[in-house]
Amino acid sequence: MSNQSDDQKFPVSSEVELKLSKALAFKRVGKSESALMVLDEVLGLDSDVVDAWLLKGIILGNLGNCSESLRCLDKVIELKPDCADAWHLKGAVFASLNSHFQAIECFSKAIELNPSEMEIRLNLASSLKKEKRFKEALNCYLEVLEQRPDDAVIHYKVGLMRGNLSDYENAIVSFEK
């Protein structure tokens, strides 16, 4: 996190920068509560620090506090609507809540903002599959397969989607790969 991170609207003070680094260090060693306390200090100094809201949302999501995580991610999106990471993480929180329709919307927005990130497409495919939108899920997996042609797991998932679509011959081909 630098003084003029791409995720920041304005440069942050050196005190904020130091506290962000400290919060990240706490998170890395599994001291989530300490990290949250430091992030609250950061946000007390400057409530528009995107990186602080994003990290807080991640930690709260990991702790299972999904409603507060979503609140933090919404704040990131309010401050920086083109933050693909926030949309991706928001989709992941919705997916963890089995709110796949909302997850699909968030993952789709994240892909619009960052089309080269294949992990977002995989998450989108997973939520589409759970909504029984197999053709759309298959298309996501095929897009990933273009980037990862030797990935056996993706071939397997393509095979599953083709099987769900009653395309058994091509499903078998995918499973064999």
Side-chain angles (χ1 to χ4, degrees):
M1 293 181 214
S2 66
N3 280 346
Q4 268 188 302
S5 167
D6 288 340
D7 287 341
Q8 298 297 330
K9 280 188 158 187
F10 306 105
V12 295
S13 71
S14 58
E15 182 181 7
V16 165
E17 187 70 28
L18 185 62
K19 287 184 182 290
L20 281 172
S21 295
K22 187 176 180 181
L24 191 56
F26 278 134
K27 181 196 177 293
R28 284 187 181 136
V29 296
K31 295 185 177 186
S32 298
E33 296 303 325
S34 297
L36 289 171
M37 286 181 9
V38 174
L39 289 169
D40 285 340
E41 291 175 18
V42 169
L43 294 169
L45 293 169
D46 183 349
S47 64
D48 289 342
V49 180
V50 171
D51 289 337
W53 286 111
L54 191 62
L55 185 56
K56 187 173 180 178
I58 290 167
I59 293 169
L60 289 167
N62 289 341
L63 293 173
N65 190 340
C66 295
S67 62
E68 285 300 306
S69 176
L70 288 170
R71 189 180 68 76
C72 293
L73 297 171
D74 283 339
K75 184 66 177 179
V76 173
I77 292 166
E78 175 189 319
L79 294 168
K80 190 170 186 330
D82 62 344
C83 181
D85 289 338
W87 287 103
H88 185 191
L89 291 166
K90 187 174 177 180
V93 172
F94 279 128
S96 75
L97 294 169
N98 289 318
S99 297
H100 295 288
F101 181 78
Q102 291 169 296
I104 290 165
E105 290 178 343
C106 293
F107 291 141
S108 296
K109 181 67 176 177
I111 288 170
E112 177 186 315
L113 295 168
N114 188 1
S116 63
E117 180 56 54
M118 293 298 112
E119 292 307 312
I120 303 171
R121 289 186 193 282
L122 291 173
N123 290 331
L124 173 60
S126 178
S127 284
L128 288 165
K129 180 179 75 169
K130 291 189 175 158
E131 286 287 310
K132 300 194 183 323
R133 293 166 61 178
F134 300 129
K135 186 160 180 62
E136 292 169 88
L138 173 62
N139 288 336
C140 285
Y141 288 130
L142 290 173
E143 288 171 359
V144 173
L145 197 57
E146 286 179 18
Q147 300 298 315
R148 302 179 188 173
D150 298 326
D151 190 324
V153 172
I154 304 303
H155 281 287
Y156 176 76
K157 290 180 180 196
V158 166
L160 290 176
M161 290 307 98
R162 287 184 168 151
N164 285 329
L165 293 167
S166 302
D167 183 4
Y168 302 117
E169 190 174 312
N170 284 319
I172 291 170
V173 170
S174 293
F175 289 137
E176 289 174 347
K177 290 183 180 183

